[in-house]
Each structure stands twice: as C-alpha cells, then as structure tokens.
Amino acid sequence: MHLSQYRTSSGSIQVVARDGSEAYEVKSELSLYDLAMRALEEGLGLRDLVLSLGLNGAVNLEVLAAEGRLLPPVTHADPAHLHLTGTGLTHLGSASTRASMHAKKPEDETDSMKMFRMGVEGGKPGNGAAGVQPEWFYKGTGAALVAPGAPLVSPPFALDGGEEPEIAGIYVIAPDGAPVRLGFALANEFSDHVTERQNYLYLAHSKLRPCAIGPELLVGELPQSVEGTSRIRRGEEVIFEKPFLSGEANMSHTIANLEHHHFKYDIFRQPGDVHVHMFGTATLSFADGVQPRDGDVFEIEAAAFGLPLRNPLSFDPLGKAEPMTEVRPL
C-alpha cells in the first residue's frame, strides 16, 4: 500500500491510499500522523486501520501534483517535533566521490574512506547485535521539510545547491517511547557540496538545507534492491540522468543498524515526535561536474514508490555577499 496526503480546497489535509494503480481518499478527516497515532492506540497496523476505515472516490495524484496540492506524506502540527536526519557513506560505491573531495593526494586514505570501510566490515552484523555506527548528520526540523513540487531554496550564502536521491524511513514515537516505522519514501536530501568540499568539518553546515520527501509513503518492508533514476531538467532538456541503487543489497549497513544508531539516543525517543531519517546515496550530479541553476527541476523516481519526487531549485546567484545576521540584546 502507498499513502499520500494533499491539501483540500477548504485547507484541510486528506489522506490518499493506493493499493494498486488507483488512488482513493481514505474515509477519514485525520492526517496521516493522526492515523498513525490512532493505529498505535488501537493496536492495529497502519494498512489494517486504513482498510477498516474504508475508501471514498478515486483521485488523480498526477493532477494534484500539477496543481501543487500534494503534501509530504507525513507532517506534524508543530514542525519543531519533526526531525530531519540522515546517514552517509552507507551505500556501496558512495565513498569514492566523498573521498575525492577531501584527499590531498590520490594515495591518501581519507576519513570518509575509513568510515566507509568500517561499514563494509561491520555494518551488517549477523548475530543480532549492533554493528558499527555510521556517519550521522542533522538537517533540521519540519520547518525545513518541503512539499513535493515546491521549490528547494538555496540560501544566499550557499555556494551550491545539489540533489541527493535517497530513501528515507518515516517514523513516529509511540506513547511508551518506542520508535515505530510507518514506511519508506523517496527523498531529495538537498545539500551544498561546494561548501562540504572546502573542508570535511563543513559537512554539518552543508547539510543545513531544506529537503523533500514523497509524494507517496510505501507501507511495509523496503525491497532488498531499489532501482531508481535521478535526473535534472532544464526547461525541455534533461541535463543529467543517472540510475541510483538503494536497498540493503546495495548498502554496507542494514536498515536495522542505521535505525538503531539513530534511536539509541533518548532525545530521539520523545513520545509523539516524527522522524524522517535518510539512508544515503551513491549518486550525485555534482560528481559529474553538473552545476544546477535557478529553475532547474530535480526529479527522483523509483517504481516501488509510485509518483516521482519533483522539486525546482530556487538559487540566489553565486558570489553574493553573505549578509550578517543581527542578534539583538533584550
């Protein structure tokens, strides 16, 4: 089953379910977040709750996308209680691009390559114990979550604005503090790779950008291998197109290991919170020398996730002076 959300003409949120080719409104006025909390309360799976509520008339998700009415598949009424995080160097082949950014000499083994090697050697433990911890990064709260079709805005001080096609796990924290996965969604973990390339310690800065997920949430387990395509459209022209691979068959860590090393921290197990945790990628247009421009459209698609994720880039010109942020004493 795939679940998505759109904004109705009255301004409310409507959940849509697709269990095949047709999409239908769920017979409920609850958001997907509220449905998830209700499922926890009633001891039901999310799919079972949706089916028990029933479905209304069919909707056309592509039309809703064209009208700009699609929402992220999960939101929180208070964006401060939605956390955007992720892991890097988790995919086979993901280390070479990162290492090339930071190696002083071709023969140097960078910290990125060391971290990747640690994942290959210990990211998939077979004894049920925790494996080696991955690289981890923070992107922000729900205030940085962009709807499908909405612009990904690169701030005036940015040096670059580039896509990262990824899979994200979507979670809510149950009343007892246990993390519960709702499903998986496509993600564009939008980053500033030029800033990151200056110094590895700037990675944290480079990740503090908006991101997009969706449009559809895949309920259930992630396929072992996910095959997708990442492209950039400039007007009528496709200026970049490349396949990407995800799923555990193409990763150096298990999903369970990545989840453990995020949710092992008490601060990330606060009841009622939402977590969007991105699992990394090995495909970047930046690695091929592509420089996205204002108005370019990022497009990420994979058959398992239904509708593609599309977002235009809104980017201030490079070289603009960085404005000072005034801090006013009280």
Side-chain angles (χ1 to χ4, degrees), residues 288-300:
D288 288 0
V290 177
Q291 289 187 310
R293 298 177 187 169
D294 190 85
D296 288 353
V297 176
F298 300 118
E299 184 175 275
I300 299 168

Side-chain angles (χ1 to χ4, degrees), residues 183-197:
F184 300 90
L186 292 174
N188 187 341
E189 195 271 289
F190 184 65
S191 299
D192 184 342
H193 302 107
V194 174
T195 292
E196 177 193 344
R197 185 174 59 184

Side-chain angles (χ1 to χ4, degrees), residues 68 70-72 145-151 211-213 309-311:
L70 291 178
L71 297 170
L145 183 60
V146 171
C211 66
I213 62 171
L309 176 62
R310 300 185 181 98
N311 293 91

